[in-house]
Structures are given as C-alpha cells and as structure tokens.
Amino acid sequence: MVIRDEDSQPSGARKPRVSAKGEQTRARLLAAARALLAGDGEVPFTTRNVAALGGVTHGMCHYHFQTRTDLIVAVVEAIRPEWITPLEEAVAQPGSFAERAERVVGLLVQPEAGDLDRLHSALHWFALNDERVRESLAAEYLRWRECFVALFQVLADERGGGFDPRALGEAAAAGTDGLAAIQSLDANIDPAPVVRALILGLAAGATAP
C-alpha cells in the first residue's frame, strides 16, 4: 500500500458535529477512507485522496478529521459493529455454555463481509507505523478477545470454577485468529469443524490451573 503524509495538519480538538449534513459528509469520508484502505494500493492513502473520492473539499475533510491518523482511527471504530458487536451479543444472550458456544461458532464460520479482511490487513500495516493506530486497533482486539473470555467464564460458572477462563478464552481467540490468517491463503479450508473442535476441545479439557 502506498502512503503519503504530505497533507497532514496539526492534531487538535475535533470540531463538534451538529448538523445532519455534517454527519452525512463524515459518513462519506469514512466510506471513502475504507475504500482506499481496502483497495489495491494504487491510489495513495492521503486525506486529499479520501476527500476527492468522497466528493468533498480537502478543507472539509480536515474539518472532520484533522490528520490521516484521525481518519484511520475513525475507520477502526466504525467497523466495530461488523465483527465485534455481533460476537459480544452472541455471548451475552441467555443460554448455557453449549448454546452460547454454538452461537459463537455460527458467527465465526461466516465469511467476512466484502472488504473486511483486506481492511483489517491494511489497518494492521498502519498499526506497525503509527502508535495511535496501534493503540486503537489493540483496544478493539482486546474487546474481541474478551468475548471468548466471557464465554469460558460461563463454563466456569456452570462447573463451579476449577480452571482459568481467561487462559482458555485467550487460547480460543488466538486459535480463531490464526485460522482466519490461514483461510486468507487457502479458501478451501472448512472453518466450521475447526472452530467447533477448538472451542469444545478447550472446554472438554478444562482443568484447574
């Protein structure tokens, strides 16, 4: 991915967004930023190019996002409902561990919608070079991992304790994330039996620390 930072401006307090038109403009800029981040890299990711793709002036882009980093962090937050919120809801809904685990498996084996996998790859790349992006993305992944910890906490409650739900939750999250990386290289892998074996296998082998 080609990046440039020639159009960054000093960071400061973001101006309040009060009008419906302003919200629409911000949404267009976020959509344009997402498209560039998930693209083939031929168009450099700059606020100037985001503004052009969004059909607004460069100055208006900086009104909403003073720096390129502000824009990337906003994209990180904007995609949360697509991959974290559904998982949180699946774990939080009533049911036994087995019922919640099946809901989680059902979500995890669904193909990522549209450009989400490419977008995550781009965000990881930026996180290597921008501390604010790294912190923002790390916070999102922590929230994602906490879903697995909460799932195994349900199992611990059912069994009256006896093992560390955090260790099992982190293991499940790591395994799931690794599977996603493998799938990005080999689309022929069926994730359903793998994810189910991972989560249920960890549950079956849960022992006291």
Side-chain angles (χ1 to χ4, degrees), residues 25-109:
T25 299
R26 187 174 188 275
R28 285 162 57 190
L29 288 167
L30 283 174
R34 176 173 181 155
L36 283 183
L37 285 169
D40 56 15
E42 291 187 3
V43 179
F45 184 80
T46 65
T47 53
R48 193 176 301 277
N49 286 336
V50 169
L53 184 59
V56 303
T57 65
H58 190 214
M60 182 58 68
C61 180
H62 278 297
Y63 175 87
H64 291 278
F65 305 100
Q66 293 195 2
T67 68
R68 186 184 62 192
T69 296
D70 290 337
L71 191 50
I72 297 172
V73 169
V75 171
V76 170
E77 296 171 353
I79 64 174
R80 183 184 303 150
E82 299 179 43
W83 68 293
I84 297 178
T85 304
L87 193 59
E88 290 176 329
E89 293 173 346
V91 174
Q93 289 174 10
S96 65
F97 168 81
E99 292 169 334
R100 299 183 202 213
E102 279 302 314
R103 289 198 295 263
V104 168
V105 170
L107 282 174
L108 294 176
V109 301

